Structure formats: C-alpha cells, structure tokens
Amino acid sequence: MSEPRYPNESQEYRDAREALLKDEQELVDKTKALAEKRRGLPLGGELKEDYVFQWANEGKVGEKVKFSELFGDKNSLLLYSFMFGPNWDNPCPNCTSLVDGFDRSWYGVNQQAAFVAIAKAPPERINAWAKQRDWSQIALVSGFESPYQADYKCQEGSDDDMQLPVMHVFTKRDGKIYHFWGTETMSNHVDTVWPFWNLMDFTPEGRPNFETVPQKFRSKFLEENYLNKE
C-alpha cells in the first residue's frame, strides 16, 4: 500500500485512489491502442470533387477556396462541420463549445495537420459569430454554396438547415485526396477532445444530466427542430 500523499488524506482514500489509478492507466493505454487501429485503416474513398468553399475568417470573408487548398503544406486535414444552418438564429451550443476549444488548440495542431471548421451558414454569419466568440486562430469556411455537407453526411438529406456535427479527416497520397476517418456517432461524438464533459468527469458530481453545454445564448432552431423534435 502506498503512503498518504496529500494533507489529511486517509489510508482508505489512498488505497482506493491507487486502485483507480490502475483503471485510469488502462484507459489511456486503450485509447492509444484504438488510435493505432485507426491509423491502420485502409484508405477511404477518393474525394468526390474538389469542393469550393468561402472563407469566413476576418479579412477574407467570402473569398473562394478549394478543398485541396485547405491542406496548405500538410498531408492531413481535420475538417470539423459544426451545426449552423443558413436559417438558424444561433449555432448549436455544443458545437460552439467544441470550436471554442478547437480555436485555442489550433496553433499546436496546425504544426502537424491542417485544421479547419466549416458550417453551412453564409460566410458573413460565420464571421460575425466568430467575432462574438473571439475565435481568432482556427481557419473557418462556409459550405453555403457547396454540396460537401450533403455528400459527407454532415446534414440530414438535402435540407441544408438540418445540420449534423461531424469530424472528418482527409489525407493526401500521391497527389490525390482520400477520406481517412469520420465520426459516425452523434451526441458526444468527439468526446475525448471535448473539454467540458471531460472536466466534469473529474468532479464528485460527474457529468450534468443535460444535452447541451451551458451557454449565455440559445439556439431556438436547434431546440425546436432537434431537442423538441418528436
């Protein structure tokens, strides 16, 4: 048995904590093993077309950019599609929570792989939301005039407002672009990189029993068409 480590802790706590530590290490090991399996996937399908998007970052809003150009000098591209349709009042609060974190992680990730967030809303609306949230690093594009979201299952059918949250990864091989991996579960689909839920897991109370992260705004479109949908 290990000796107590923190002020006034009991031996009972230390014993239980040491047992839990073994479980935590097993989880880390399993996550790494899963990532290794993911890296071993065969190539997915070749990119359907070199989609044309519009930049939504300040200073180049509305400028055209091809899918292939999003890679820059990298061979991998993470492309997160967040829920913000053309007729939404506000984006999805959960997606906003994720992109809040992605924006601050962008610089480090971008040293190894291109990292872009896309939404179906027009570029001007994405840019306005980015300024409201103080997103200043992550590359932002609009798929407003592109079939990308429909082709890659980032929306329900042909309805551009029925957006879905999806992380896709693409890779360049021998001058061609291929799909490598994409989330195929909804809800907490990129759980391991979502700060809110993971931080709540560290607390005695655990994860709150609600569907959306607390925000200072509401998304009435989401509430009416997703959360309250029968």
Side-chain angles (χ1 to χ4, degrees):
M1 293 185 296
S2 299
E3 294 296 320
R5 182 171 181 175
Y6 300 113
N8 300 318
E9 74 174 29
S10 66
Q11 190 62 56
E12 179 185 17
Y13 174 86
R14 178 47 41 193
D15 294 344
R17 180 67 187 90
E18 291 294 331
L20 181 62
L21 184 61
K22 293 180 181 178
D23 291 336
E24 290 174 340
Q25 186 59 54
E26 287 179 3
L27 178 60
V28 171
D29 293 342
K30 187 172 183 178
T31 299
K32 290 180 177 179
L34 178 62
E36 185 175 359
K37 285 185 177 181
R38 185 182 294 118
R39 292 193 297 273
L41 283 170
L43 279 180
E46 187 175 350
L47 186 69
K48 185 177 179 182
E49 63 179 86
D50 197 3
Y51 300 98
V52 177
F53 303 134
Q54 298 176 68
W55 284 115
N57 292 92
E58 187 70 8
K60 51 184 179 180
V61 176
E63 293 180 13
K64 305 286 187 181
V65 58
K66 291 182 178 180
F67 191 107
S68 56
E69 295 173 322
L70 298 180
F71 282 83
D73 61 354
K74 306 299 189 298
N75 290 319
S76 295
L77 167 67
L78 295 99
L79 185 57
Y80 183 67
S81 185
F82 66 100
M83 299 169 69
F84 189 14
N87 295 301
W88 288 44
D89 54 319
N90 286 318
C92 166
N94 280 345
C95 294
T96 297
S97 171
L98 272 164
V99 182
D100 283 345
F102 291 161
D103 182 66
R104 298 308 186 264
S105 302
W106 179 88
Y107 177 81
V109 173
N110 196 59
Q111 303 310 300
Q112 306 298 321
F115 192 11
V116 179
I118 183 172
K120 197 67 178 179
E124 296 81 8
R125 296 201 62 209
I126 297 173
N127 177 255
W129 189 251
K131 289 193 285 188
Q132 185 173 331
R133 300 300 295 191
D134 292 324
W135 296 342
S136 59
Q137 298 189 65
I138 193 166
L140 298 166
V141 297
S142 167
F144 181 61
E145 297 177 341
S146 167
Y148 166 78
Q149 276 103 330
D151 288 347
Y152 282 88
K153 312 304 180 186
C154 301
Q155 65 184 47
E156 295 181 1
S158 60
D159 188 340
D160 287 347
D161 276 316
M162 300 308 290
Q163 292 294 299
L164 300 171
V166 180
M167 176 74 84
H168 279 303
V169 182
F170 296 85
T171 182
K172 287 197 301 186
R173 305 282 176 88
D174 300 321
K176 296 182 179 180
I177 298 173
Y178 297 90
H179 184 252
F180 171 70
W181 177 87
T183 51
E184 296 188 16
T185 59
M186 290 298 101
S187 189
N188 293 8
H189 59 298
V190 283
D191 187 282
T192 56
V193 294
W194 196 334
F196 176 77
W197 300 111
N198 284 277
L199 288 171
M200 292 297 96
D201 279 342
F202 291 138
T203 67
E205 296 79 14
R207 298 187 179 203
N209 185 26
F210 46 62
E211 294 184 285
T212 58
V213 172
Q215 297 281 9
K216 294 181 179 180
F217 70 91
R218 293 177 59 186
S219 175
K220 293 182 180 179
F221 188 93
L222 181 83
E223 294 171 5
E224 293 173 0
N225 294 278
Y226 290 81
L227 302 182
N228 298 325
K229 188 177 180 180
E230 296 183 0

